[in-house]
Amino acid sequence: MPTMADVARNAGVSVATVSHVLNGTRPVLPSTRQAVLDAVDALGYTPNTLARSLVTSRTRSIGLAVSAISNPYFTEILQGVEAAALAAGYSLLIADPHDDPAHERKVVQLLHERRVDGMIVAPSARPHDLVAYLGRHAVPAVFLDRVLPATEPVAGGTAPGQGLFDQVCAENAGPMADLTGHLAGLGHRRIGLVAGLPGLSTTEERIAGYRQGLAAAGLAFDQDLVVSGLSESAGAERATAALLALPAPPTALVTANNAMTIGALRTLRERNLAVPGGIALGCFDDFAWADLFSPRLTAIAQPSREIGARAVDVLLERLAEPGRPPRTVRLPCAFVHRTSCGCPELRDEAVGSPPAGTGGTTEPSTPLERGTAS
């Protein structure tokens, strides 16, 4: 097997120069760099990453702990993480915590034992042990999609939460307020919400946005119109059935993620309730086939791939500057206007181009979408 010394002899340079080219640790002349790369190709040289990690204490690997990888939303986030990591020369180790706090703590420890340089984690609804472990071992970490409160409850008191970690997520409250307000603007006075798993920041923020949308439309909040779908399809089927069983059922429905949209549609079909004729529908989370349904689904589109890529960028910045203060980065969503809300197609009134594969009209969903993000 060829060595770095063989590459150096073939290229006519020193071993140190080969190391600088392969590791990007010092600029070299373009002609020299090309000579080294040509020698690498000619000899079939493969860097010994294990040996390099023993010297540098870096493995150039990132651990990713994300639940429900089969969910299209997280699949797109994964694609964004993978592309950004690969572009930066990092490999990816992936684990599914299954939104179970005990399992979450276990898989994060296993990733840490694999000596990943840092981690990107979508925390569960009760991430107390996770936060304690990462803090105790000073693991560079970015929380993805779901953010932490300022403190986390632990035995005997509280522990620092978001103040310890970088976080990357989408805007939730503003876009949900826009979606709820849109339905209210169409004349709906009883708007049901199929909410997510209790305890997740995404759930709480989207409920807050729903309430904001009602208040802006002059509608009172009714707790009976909010039922948890537990962030999954089967739970949404039950939640939708419960809403339809109310003495005064909703005339419009908002689902708080794409998996719950599928569950809600299944229940509506079983009840022979046409959308939007029998009930209007708006969805938080767009997905590739949302425009293939009949009617086509009005949705809030999250920048999922961008969230994944940005999380990698933030983690690499953390690795380069460990003492930098933690920050939370929020990315804007887009309102994709289709027909399940009861509106006609608005293709001639498009404010912007829809995200790839969404097949609808997009509009800014929050002030951040209009370029005021910090």
Side-chain angles (χ1 to χ4, degrees):
M1 180 177 293
T3 65
M4 192 178 290
D6 296 328
V7 173
R9 280 192 295 272
N10 187 286
V13 298
S14 68
V15 171
T17 297
V18 173
S19 176
H20 289 312
V21 169
L22 297 180
N23 297 318
T25 49
R26 193 185 72 185
V28 298
L29 291 172
S31 57
T32 302
R33 181 176 183 278
Q34 191 58 53
V36 170
L37 295 178
D38 289 344
V40 167
D41 288 341
L43 297 174
Y45 171 72
T46 302
N48 187 333
T49 55
L50 177 60
R52 182 171 62 191
S53 70
L54 293 174
V55 175
T56 64
S57 297
R58 291 284 181 91
T59 60
R60 295 195 72 81
S61 62
I62 294 172
L64 176 65
V66 176
S67 295
I69 292 173
S70 60
N71 184 314
Y73 170 67
F74 280 116
T75 299
E76 291 190 1
I77 282 184
L78 171 58
Q79 291 169 350
V81 170
E82 184 179 41
L86 183 62
Y90 280 75
S91 60
L92 204 59
L93 278 69
I94 305 171
D96 188 340
H98 301 295
D99 269 334
D100 178 283
H103 192 61
E104 171 182 69
R105 161 69 172 72
K106 184 180 300 183
V107 300
V108 163
Q109 180 175 346
L110 289 173
L111 289 171
H112 185 217
E113 290 172 353
R114 292 293 186 95
R115 297 295 186 263
V116 295
D117 294 340
M119 292 189 205
I120 298 173
V121 183
S124 69
R126 301 186 306 279
H128 322 315
D129 290 345
L130 166 70
V131 170
Y133 181 89
L134 294 173
R136 182 167 62 252
H137 294 279
V139 179
V142 174
F143 286 150
L144 178 81
D145 182 60
R146 304 155 178 177
V147 299
L148 299 183
T151 59
E152 280 294 304
V154 296
T158 61
Q162 61 177 293
L164 279 179
F165 302 100
D166 297 302
Q167 306 185 113
V168 178
C169 60
E171 286 291 335
N172 287 296
M176 181 60 91
D178 291 343
L179 184 58
T180 305
H182 178 70
L183 292 169
L186 295 175
H188 295 283
R189 293 298 174 262
R190 289 187 63 76
I191 302 171
L193 173 63
V194 179
L197 185 69
L200 295 179
S201 66
T202 48
T203 298
E204 305 308 321
E205 290 177 1
R206 290 170 195 174
I207 292 175
Y210 165 80
R211 298 186 67 153
Q212 291 169 19
L214 293 177
L219 300 178
F221 173 74
D222 183 347
Q223 184 64 58
D224 289 342
L225 288 174
V226 179
V227 181
S228 175
L230 304 177
S231 296
E232 46 94 20
S233 180
E237 291 182 48
R238 295 188 293 271
T240 303
L243 288 167
L244 295 178
L246 291 172
T251 62
L253 195 63
V254 178
T255 52
N257 78 3
N258 55 25
M260 291 190 292
T261 298
I262 301 301
L265 284 169
R266 187 173 290 118
T267 294
L268 295 177
R269 183 186 63 189
E270 290 172 354
R271 303 298 176 89
N272 293 316
L273 232 121
V275 178
I279 187 167
L281 179 65
C283 319
F284 202 107
D285 264 357
D286 199 20
F287 44 97
W289 55 89
D291 64 324
L292 300 179
F293 285 91
S294 181
R296 300 162 71 240
L297 300 179
T298 292
I300 297 296
Q302 299 190 76
S304 46
R305 293 194 187 194
E306 186 181 353
I307 290 172
R310 193 74 183 95
V312 173
D313 293 341
V314 171
L315 179 59
L316 296 183
E317 291 166 9
R318 167 65 51 197
L319 293 174
E321 191 180 351
R324 180 176 53 75
R327 56 181 168 151
T328 295
V329 177
R330 286 188 180 268
L331 300 176
C333 297
F335 188 109
V336 185
H337 198 167
R338 300 191 184 99
T339 57
S340 66
C341 56
C343 292
E345 295 282 3
L346 298 177
R347 292 184 181 276
D348 294 336
E349 302 175 23
V351 175
S353 300
T358 59
T361 297
T362 59
E363 301 176 11
S365 62
T366 69
L368 284 174
E369 181 67 7
R370 298 182 176 93
T372 60
S374 58

